[in-house]
Amino acid sequence: MTKLDHKSSAAGGNGNVPNPDLLTAEIASDQWPGDEFDTPGARFRDGVREWWPYYLMLAPGLIYFALFHYLPVWEAKLAFEDLRIIGPNVWVGLKHFAQLFASPAFFEVLMNTLIISAMKIAFVFPLPIILALLLNEVRSGRFRRGVQSVIYLPHFLSWVVIAGIFIAALSPADGVINDMRDMIGLERRSFMTESGSIRWVLVWSEAWRSTGWDSLLYFAAIMSIDPALYEAAEMDGASRWQKMRYITLPGIVPTIATLFILNVGLFLNAGFDQVFNLSNDAIRDKIDIIDTYVYRLGITGGQFSLATAAGLFKGVVGMTLMLGAHFLSKRLTGRGVW
Amino acid sequence: MQKLSISRRALMAGLAATPMVGMLPRPVRAATGSIRIVMKDLLTTNPEDVAHIARIEEALAARGHDISIEIVDLPSEGYAEKLNLMLLSGDIPDVIYFQGGDEQIAQQGALMDLRPMIEGTEHLAPALWPHNTARMDNYPYLLYVFPARTKAPVMRRDLLESTGMSAPTTLEEWDALLRAIPGTEVDGNPVTYGIIAPNNTDELDAVFDPAFGIDQTWLQDDAGTWIHSRISDGERQKLAWYASLYADGVLDPEFVTSNWEVKEDKFYTGDVGVVMGTAGPVVGIYEAKMAQVNPGAELVLLTPPAGIQAIDVSKESRGFAVPVTTEQTDAVVAFLDFMASPEGQLMDRLGFEGEHYTRDGDTLAPTDKLGAWYPRFVYDNPNYYQPPISPLSELAQASLQQGVDGFRADNTFVWPADLAAAVDGAETYYRTNAFRFISGELSTEDDWDAYVQGWLDAGGQAMVDYAKEVL
């Protein structure tokens, strides 16, 4: 069968409707679909032709990721080079990695990153889930919407503002938290400078900022659960707790699993903006994370190659963790990121 | 034959005079060219900057230099980072103002040694400050002809009088004054704390380091071995004194979480008695703002107990560099030399006639706007040139003079790139532990040895080993 025949069979006589006679003949001759017609390229072309408005809408996103997320990957080769602003960079192999790993400060920074990230996942990650479940139980729609509006607000504040709020609120001299401790007979404490408390400040300021906003995803997942399940449960006499336990929670497990895996992938992103703004010299050794280290040493110190090596290390570890979590989740639950 | 004799005499005279040529002012050659300059806060969006550059071009033209100057815009926010990224992208102007991040580029051989360019210039060479010369000897790639950024301690005159003490001159007198301030009333309100330094102890150290024997970064012990001042006995005594001030409520307990804005606010509102300000314009700003917030309030400049802290002359921390790629060297020299000349200084330090100052014959008078003007390029050593009027108050000028009179060169040096991580690690370790000593979490009696070992382990040992080679 010729190429022309394929086209005529696919498009049909009027250009839209396949000609059933020709189709039958092709099937009978066992030559359709032909290799040429069924190539991925052809399918892609047909797909684009049919869905081009959607591809057009997708294009800005694809271009953004290509330019700002994939293209820079190539420039990570700077980690293996000495930077030159005049002339080509000089290949130095693993020199910068050796320098990085020889620094005791780097392991302290790595440990801080792991501890802070683990604390956030353990204490902050469940909060939006709990909040979404609680909001779902609120009967008054007006009250629920009001609460949602209020708890979303901190998400829109920058860390500069939030740091100012927390530093003022936790001030040992006149901060509201210490005033409250004073009222109940507890001693005033300098939470911002005590090595034992500063990581908790990071955890709870993160929770304050993001719990409301992050609950949106879970709340949306709850909304997509079939109402018939609840009706059936009610007919069977299920209590509200039982409906939450046996319908709502299982209904949002895929969302929880996906977000957990993505969070694990971002495990080493312990929050540059937050740490940068809440840090001070008294507790820097407790909350100095890879990102702040890279910024201080690389960007402000001009050690771009060393900073790129640290960044690449972080990226590789993050990717490994995410893939590990994905495959583990696939094995245990049958669900992963893809 | 006669001609030959004359020629021979001329030749011999010329040869004899040759060694003296370098000592004579070198008339700048008529230069032609186009300079691209990138500098923090120098923007084409600021009409004042554009007009300033335009009149500099005119003045250069009047001197026979056909030079055009192009401003390369770069946002002031995060300037150092953005400058580095611009240079990495291959856009390299002819004059680059660095505010950090220059070492990496200088180590690549991409910046010119500026000493041959400056040597023998008519105005620029004699306009240098003592610290400029010392820094150029160690690191000849940056030029910043401005006063050293020393710190000057100031307090309200009426507060000092209320304590019943005179201005302190010794550490004991300082200690007594600082302890007397909390609770002393000014304007009917008691002052809460004696002193504050924002973020860390740097500003305290600038005043008190020499009083504890820390007169240089690297000190020699009794055996003649070089040790870093961070682990010296003087440092231990100093931290113990800071700790006693902290424990007694004299040093603001929130100093480490206070930035410079908080510091100034506490000073103006009477929460804190003594602050340190950068000598010169910043002290002038403190004086003006204090008078604005508390009408009639005057500041008094205090004297550090044992002179000011030694000035880091390892390199300029900021300043102008010229890349080796430029083909406009003559034009750059002509431009900078003009800015150091009396005519250039009048423009750069006093602003625009009619706006920032007025002229009546040979007499100049400042307007209210002079305080808002600031010099962009060069601020001559006062021994070479002083403008007929100064935008600085007497107090601000006195603070500058304090820095000039007390100038002592530090013996610190530029670290090689390979030690960047070690230096960062040791400094972070010092900063956190210094606060723990001050806050009482650690004891200078019991925990000092462990601290010293920790500092060495955190990168200090690599620093000490390198210092032994350099010093």
Side-chain angles (χ1 to χ4, degrees), chain B residues 250-267:
Chain B
V250 178
L251 172 61
D252 187 334
E254 292 185 73
F255 76 93
V256 81
T257 53
S258 302
N259 60 19
W260 63 270
E261 287 169 305
V262 175
K263 174 190 88 170
E264 288 187 21
D265 183 63
K266 288 185 172 182
F267 183 49

Side-chain angles (χ1 to χ4, degrees), chain B residues 83 87 93 99 132 141 145 156 160 218 223 232 260-261 273 287 299 303 320 331 367 372 404 415 437 451:
Chain B
L83 175 66
L87 299 177
Q99 204 170 46
N132 291 143
Y141 310 109
V145 190
R156 282 179 65 159
L160 177 62
W218 291 95
S232 67
W260 63 270
E261 287 169 305
E287 189 181 21
L299 296 186
T303 309
F320 297 100
T367 69
V404 174
W415 294 105
F437 281 121
Y451 155 76

Side-chain angles (χ1 to χ4, degrees), chain A residues 9 15 29 35 61 92 96 134 157 202 221 239 242 256 278 298 303-304 334:
Chain A
S9 67
S29 64
D35 294 341
V92 294
H96 297 298
L134 292 175
L157 297 176
L202 293 185
S239 65
Q242 286 172 320
I256 294 173
L278 284 166
Q303 304 283 343
F304 291 102

Side-chain angles (χ1 to χ4, degrees), chain B residues 78-271:
Chain B
Y79 174 81
E81 303 151 34
K82 292 183 175 71
L83 175 66
N84 267 320
L85 295 174
M86 186 182 86
L87 299 177
L88 290 174
S89 73
D91 184 2
I92 306 173
D94 303 296
V95 179
I96 306 165
Y97 175 79
F98 280 100
Q99 204 170 46
D102 53 284
E103 287 173 58
Q104 285 296 297
I105 293 168
Q107 284 167 2
Q108 297 172 23
L111 301 180
M112 275 191 184
D113 181 343
L114 300 176
R115 289 172 298 184
M117 292 169 60
I118 296 169
E119 190 181 359
T121 49
E122 186 178 359
H123 304 292
L124 189 56
L128 298 181
W129 296 67
H131 62 271
N132 291 143
T133 311
R135 286 172 180 168
M136 294 283 286
D137 285 342
N138 292 324
Y139 185 85
Y141 310 109
L142 279 192
L143 176 69
Y144 192 61
V145 190
F146 275 80
R149 297 170 68 81
T150 55
K151 295 291 180 185
V154 290
M155 71 181 294
R156 282 179 65 159
R157 185 180 297 280
D158 51 2
L159 175 61
L160 177 62
E161 289 166 357
S162 297
T163 61
M165 298 181 176
S166 53
T169 55
T170 64
L171 187 61
E172 290 71 28
E173 290 174 1
W174 265 96
D175 185 68
L177 173 67
L178 293 176
R179 291 178 190 280
I181 290 174
T184 301
E185 291 190 359
V186 281
D187 301 333
N189 297 311
V191 177
T192 314
Y193 303 112
I195 194 167
I196 187 175
N199 300 323
N200 51 46
T201 59
D202 274 353
E203 290 192 357
L204 294 173
D205 299 342
V207 176
F208 299 114
D209 257 1
F212 291 92
I214 307 169
D215 50 7
Q216 287 187 311
T217 298
W218 291 95
L219 306 166
Q220 281 182 298
D221 62 15
D222 296 338
T225 308
W226 289 106
I227 58 164
H228 198 287
S229 58
R230 298 293 199 210
I231 53 172
S232 67
D233 199 46
E235 181 73 32
R236 181 181 186 168
Q237 293 169 21
K238 182 186 75 180
L239 291 176
W241 184 60
Y242 290 167
S244 74
L245 295 180
Y246 183 94
D248 295 342
V250 178
L251 172 61
D252 187 334
E254 292 185 73
F255 76 93
V256 81
T257 53
S258 302
N259 60 19
W260 63 270
E261 287 169 305
V262 175
K263 174 190 88 170
E264 288 187 21
D265 183 63
K266 288 185 172 182
F267 183 49
Y268 303 138
T269 54
D271 260 354

Side-chain angles (χ1 to χ4, degrees), chain B residues 27-69:
Chain B
V28 176
R29 286 176 294 176
T32 303
S34 176
I35 303 173
R36 295 177 71 238
I37 179 168
V38 61
M39 184 183 180
K40 189 174 184 228
D41 298 325
L42 186 74
L43 300 165
T44 56
T45 50
N46 181 358
E48 215 168 48
D49 287 342
V50 174
H52 189 43
I53 292 294
R55 65 179 179 158
I56 291 170
E57 287 175 334
E58 284 174 21
L60 285 167
R63 292 180 164 218
H65 303 299
D66 181 17
I67 297 171
S68 68
I69 301 169

